[in-house]
């Protein structure tokens, strides 16, 4: 397959590590003598033709930057066939024969739509939720987890001083991977995730009681936003135990910040592999990790896969909290 011009975009929620990934795509393409163009604001930019030339210099000093220099957006227009045809028309007019799309499931579905019109596409998973089923790891997860851990560690300092219960809500939409990871890392009293049915008496109340009977006077409850709101959990704790929990919603602070070394390296490897796949004549692919290795999978196959919280993580949490 002869590749002359590659367009790269970021779509959906931003994730730390997107910039290192864009950098890797640009520099790998340049290394092979291929022109690379940035597409601003995801599929909206592709429809509007908001595109600019990228080279080694334009992506220098971006490996340590959070967010995305290409900006990001969710495109309602692109969901319709008419919008998709406009995007394809832009690709043909500007000679973009390939698109590297960085984002989550919605981004992948958009790339698949372009592929049906003959555009070569490769997708790269980037979401702090780590909820993309076909890959063990998504760009941004490590940074978001470390940000949440740092915030909760600071909360614990004041919580211990005042002998209080704290309920912390982390992001995750309909996935509890971030909450479980963070909860295990901070030694939470309880973790609530959407994948696991909640028995509030057993999963929260009894764990707090047991902690108190074991001599503890401070309690940390981590809640995935898709499982419940922190305020609702706090209200139920107050009703059951007459405690007055403090509520903290970390929100979008988890999306920001300098990407960790792990996110920078994984993003760089994935961006490199995306270009190499296109050069090898592969299209309609998702770059992913499996069993510690970087590989790729067909988009159609990847989008129908599913994954859930590992039972071992649930078992470890139960052992650490004594129930």
């Amino acid at each position: 397959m002869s590749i002359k011009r590659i367009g790269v975009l970021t779509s959906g929620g931003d994730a730390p590590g997107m910039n290192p990934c864009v950098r890797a795509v640009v520099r790998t393409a340049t290394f092979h003598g291929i022109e690379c163009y940035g597409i601003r604001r995801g599929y909206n930019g592709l429809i509007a033709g908001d595109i600019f030339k990228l080279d080694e210099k334009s992506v220098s000093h971006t490996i340590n930057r959070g967010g995305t220099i290409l900006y990001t957006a969710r495109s309602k227009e692109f969901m319709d066939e008419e919008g998709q045809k406009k995007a394809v028309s832009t690709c043909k007019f500007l000679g973009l024969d390939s698109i590297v799309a960085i984002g989550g499931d919605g981004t992948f579905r958009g790339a698949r739509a372009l592929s049906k019109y003959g555009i070569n596409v490769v997708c790269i998973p980037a979401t702090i939720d780590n909820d993309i089923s076909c890959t063990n790891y998504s760009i941004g997860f490590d940074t978001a987890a470390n940000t949440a851990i740092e915030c909760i560690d600071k909360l614990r300092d004041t919580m211990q001083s005042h002998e209080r219960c704290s309920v912390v809500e982390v992001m995750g939409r309909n996935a509890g991977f971030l909450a479980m990871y963070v909860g295990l890392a901070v030694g939470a009293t309880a973790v609530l995730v959407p994948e696991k049915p909640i028995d509030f008496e057993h999963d929260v109340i009894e764990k707090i009681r047991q902690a108190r009977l074991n001599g503890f006077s401070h309690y940390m409850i981590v809640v995935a936003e898709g499982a419940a709101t922190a305020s609702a959990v706090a209200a139920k704790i107050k009703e059951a135990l007459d405690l007055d929990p403090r509520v903290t919603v970390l929100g979008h602070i988890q999306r920001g910040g300098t990407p960790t070394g792990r996110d920078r390296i994984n993003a760089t490897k994935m961006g490199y592999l995306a270009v190499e796949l296109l050069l090898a004549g592969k299209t309609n692919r998702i770059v992913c990790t499996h069993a510690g290795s970087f590989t790729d999978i067909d988009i159609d196959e990847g989008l129908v896969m599913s994954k859930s919280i590992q039972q071992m993580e649930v078992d470890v949490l139960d052992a650490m909290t004594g129930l």
Side-chain angles (χ1 to χ4, degrees):
M1 183 185 298
S2 178
I3 304 296
K4 294 182 179 180
R5 295 187 183 92
I6 294 176
V8 57
L9 61 83
T10 53
S11 178
D14 62 298
M18 281 183 163
N19 285 329
C21 191
V22 171
R23 173 183 178 272
V25 171
V26 173
R27 294 204 166 185
T28 305
T30 302
F31 176 77
H32 288 291
I34 301 169
E35 295 179 11
C36 196
Y37 291 83
I39 302 165
R40 294 187 181 94
R41 299 176 183 85
Y43 294 112
N44 278 336
L46 193 56
I47 291 172
D50 190 0
I51 296 171
F52 63 105
K53 181 85 176 282
L54 288 171
D55 55 26
E56 289 184 345
K57 186 176 181 181
S58 62
V59 295
S60 63
H61 307 299
T62 60
I63 197 169
N64 61 320
R65 290 174 59 183
T68 166
I69 60 171
L70 299 180
Y71 308 107
T72 184
R74 303 182 193 276
S75 178
K76 290 184 178 180
E77 185 177 3
F78 189 77
M79 294 179 183
D80 297 329
E81 185 177 0
E82 184 178 347
Q84 294 166 11
K85 287 182 177 180
K86 288 181 181 179
V88 172
S89 179
T90 298
C91 289
K92 291 182 177 180
F93 179 71
L94 297 177
L96 297 178
D97 45 44
S98 304
I99 297 292
V100 175
I102 307 167
D105 281 349
T107 303
F108 299 172
R109 295 181 194 281
R112 181 175 62 178
L114 291 177
S115 182
K116 292 178 180 178
Y117 291 100
I119 307 298
N120 304 313
V121 299
V122 174
C123 300
I124 299 175
T127 166
I128 67 168
D129 300 341
N130 202 31
D131 60 347
I132 299 176
S133 300
C134 62
T135 185
N136 298 135
Y137 188 84
S138 297
I139 296 168
F141 176 76
D142 192 62
T143 305
N146 278 282
T147 297
I149 290 166
E150 181 181 358
C151 291
I152 291 173
D153 284 346
K154 291 179 179 179
L155 278 173
R156 176 178 275 110
D157 291 341
T158 185
M159 183 177 65
Q160 289 176 329
S161 298
H162 294 274
E163 299 183 325
R164 284 176 176 160
C165 175
S166 184
V167 182
V168 180
E169 183 180 315
V170 301
M171 296 182 81
R173 203 167 45 176
N174 297 318
F177 301 104
L178 183 62
M180 183 62 75
Y181 186 95
V182 169
L184 285 170
V186 301
T189 307
V191 180
L192 303 181
V193 296
E195 294 89 343
K196 184 176 179 292
I198 299 172
D199 180 342
F200 203 84
E201 180 66 23
H202 177 272
D203 295 336
V204 180
I205 302 305
E206 277 303 317
K207 287 189 175 183
I208 293 175
R209 285 192 180 121
Q210 189 63 51
R212 181 65 185 89
L213 291 170
N214 289 337
F216 294 95
S217 57
H218 56 275
Y219 323 98
M220 174 65 68
I221 315 299
V222 176
V223 185
E225 62 181 349
T229 65
S231 57
V233 171
K236 293 180 74 171
I237 292 173
K238 183 174 183 179
E239 180 181 0
L241 298 173
D242 202 26
L243 288 176
D244 188 16
R246 294 297 188 266
V247 171
T248 302
V249 179
L250 295 183
H252 283 77
I253 192 174
Q254 295 159 95
R255 288 197 184 278
T258 299
T260 61
R262 185 182 182 192
D263 272 329
R264 296 184 201 191
I265 291 170
N266 284 352
T268 299
K269 289 180 177 179
M270 287 180 164
Y272 166 83
L273 182 56
V275 176
E276 293 295 324
L277 287 170
L278 289 170
L279 287 171
K282 292 188 174 183
T283 184
N284 205 48
R285 311 297 292 179
I286 300 172
V287 176
C288 52
T289 62
H290 179 70
S293 299
F294 289 84
T295 183
D296 60 282
I297 190 172
D298 183 82
I299 292 178
D300 293 317
E301 184 179 349
L303 285 173
V304 298
M305 296 175 71
S306 62
K307 71 176 181 180
S308 189
I309 298 295
Q310 294 181 9
Q311 184 58 43
M312 181 182 179
E313 293 183 337
V314 177
D315 295 341
V316 170
L317 181 65
D318 286 343
M320 295 301 103
T321 56
L323 287 177

